[in-house]
Amino acid sequence: MSEVPQLRIGEVAKRSGLAASAIRYYESEGLIRKPARRSGQRVYDESVLDQLALIDLAKGAGFTMAEIKKLLSGFARRTPPGERWRQLTTAKLAELDARIAEAERMKTVLRKVMRCHCPTLDDCSRALRKAQPG
Amino acid sequence: MSEVPQLRIGEVAKRSGLAASAIRYYESEGLIRKPARRSGQRVYDESVLDQLALIDLAKGAGFTMAEIKKLLSGFARRTPPGERWRQLTTAKLAELDARIAEAERMKTVLRKVMRCHCPTLDDCSRALRKAQPG
DNA sequence: ATACGACCTCGAGTGCACTTGAAGTCAAGG
DNA sequence: CCTTGACTTCAAGTGCACTCGAGGTCGTAT
């Protein structure tokens, strides 16, 4: 007779570090299973913390809500997790590489403007258009 | 008597590659100078293209509207551009480095989940919490 | 009985950088 | 004269991932 701990949303919030509103939001978006209710209130068992941890991991990997939703329920029922991850991850890796390349490009621009010696911003603007004609 | 070319907003949009609505928006936000009007319509001279190019450069360097506004009008009137750029750029470079580090971190997570062999996502979730206790 | 605290739902608000839509003005062309 | 097309203003909408507020319910403690 081991008693399964029953958690209300406030407790789940505390343990997961999320706001209660976020947990309700995830439920409304179908990212976590709908818990039982006791007199109207949500009653969770501890497995919800695992589900939330998975969502947190996916968020930490840069996935959007829509992508996490797809990960969780956008595949044929018995598609194994590895397969699910790999499909989403391939595109995301490319996206991250693009993001990094973009940031590097920005850094190049920044290093260039830091060396600016124009007397006024208008000169700056004009210099720009002369430097990059077309 | 060289005639200065007078451009209406549609022409500026075409030459700058921006939407007319974006140009009006920049004006309303104080990013570009208010042009003359002829029977209600905006009439630009070519210098607006320089101003827009500068904004485009700044956007390309990752600056927000607010930061560009500060660059253009958030300093004592005779602060030279080089000084303006340097003040904003220092913080932005750090931000970009953080962005890159974050993306690298995400890539690490992704490479890890790609090797997942869990039979179900629930196993995945549970594995997560066991792996990172606290 | 009543106050309290934690929960409930639903709709609206947040920030960013614009875009879209409605309703109106203007000059030129047929 | 009337249409056409480019322009005008102003308010509201977009996407994301939630948060916030109002107004109401529930069980427990006083």
Side-chain angles (χ1 to χ4, degrees):
Chain A
M1 315 182 179
S2 59
E3 294 191 8
V4 182
Q6 304 283 297
L7 312 172
R8 286 183 310 164
I9 201 168
E11 188 62 23
V12 174
K14 205 171 296 175
R15 293 208 201 173
S16 66
L18 292 166
S21 62
I23 298 170
R24 287 193 205 97
Y25 173 66
Y26 289 164
E27 181 186 327
S28 78
E29 293 295 295
L31 272 84
I32 55 177
R33 289 188 281 271
K34 295 192 177 185
R37 297 277 182 141
R38 210 186 306 157
S39 51
Q41 298 191 359
R42 291 168 180 80
V43 184
Y44 298 93
D45 61 75
E46 284 186 315
S47 73
V48 72
L49 296 172
D50 298 332
Q51 297 174 51
L52 291 174
L54 180 61
I55 291 170
D56 193 54
L57 175 87
K59 283 207 308 171
F63 289 114
T64 64
M65 296 268 100
E67 287 163 337
I68 297 175
K69 217 160 153 181
K70 169 152 193 194
L71 171 73
L72 296 174
S73 55
F75 289 88
R77 216 170 316 287
R78 36 202 212 178
T79 310
E83 174 63 16
R84 295 171 182 234
W85 283 117
R86 274 185 288 279
Q87 280 197 25
L88 287 166
T89 294
T90 304
K92 187 58 69 177
L93 273 174
E95 196 188 309
L96 287 174
D97 282 334
R99 218 182 278 183
I100 291 169
E102 172 73 354
E104 294 290 3
R105 199 192 50 69
M106 289 177 175
K107 283 176 69 174
T108 303
V109 175
L110 288 182
R111 281 191 289 257
K112 203 172 288 179
V113 297
M114 279 187 88
R115 297 197 304 270
C116 166
H117 292 304
C118 298
T120 75
L121 276 170
D122 281 352
D123 294 293
C124 242
S125 303
R126 275 190 291 278
L128 264 178
R129 286 197 67 78
K130 276 178 194 159
Q132 312 172 331
Chain B
M1 317 186 174
S2 58
E3 295 191 9
V4 182
Q6 304 283 296
L7 312 173
R8 286 182 307 165
I9 201 168
E11 188 63 22
V12 175
K14 206 172 296 174
R15 293 208 201 171
S16 66
L18 292 167
S21 61
I23 298 170
R24 287 194 205 96
Y25 173 66
Y26 290 164
E27 181 187 328
S28 77
E29 294 295 294
L31 271 75
I32 55 178
R33 290 187 281 271
K34 295 192 178 185
R37 298 277 182 141
R38 210 186 304 157
S39 50
Q41 298 191 0
R42 291 167 179 81
V43 184
Y44 298 93
D45 61 73
E46 284 186 316
S47 74
V48 72
L49 295 171
D50 298 333
Q51 298 174 50
L52 291 174
L54 181 60
I55 291 169
D56 193 54
L57 176 87
K59 284 206 308 171
F63 289 114
T64 63
M65 296 268 99
E67 287 163 338
I68 297 175
K69 218 160 154 180
K70 168 152 194 194
L71 171 73
L72 295 173
S73 55
F75 289 88
R77 216 169 318 287
R78 37 201 211 178
T79 310
E83 175 63 17
R84 294 171 183 234
W85 284 117
R86 275 184 288 278
Q87 281 197 25
L88 287 166
T89 295
T90 304
K92 187 58 70 176
L93 273 174
E95 195 189 309
L96 287 174
D97 283 333
R99 217 182 280 183
I100 291 169
E102 172 74 354
E104 295 290 3
R105 199 191 51 69
M106 288 176 175
K107 283 176 70 175
T108 304
V109 176
L110 287 180
R111 279 190 290 258
K112 202 171 288 180
V113 297
M114 280 188 88
R115 295 197 305 269
C116 166
H117 292 304
C118 300
T120 75
L121 277 170
D122 281 352
D123 293 294
C124 243
S125 304
R126 274 190 291 276
L128 265 178
R129 285 194 72 77
K130 276 176 194 159
Q132 312 172 329

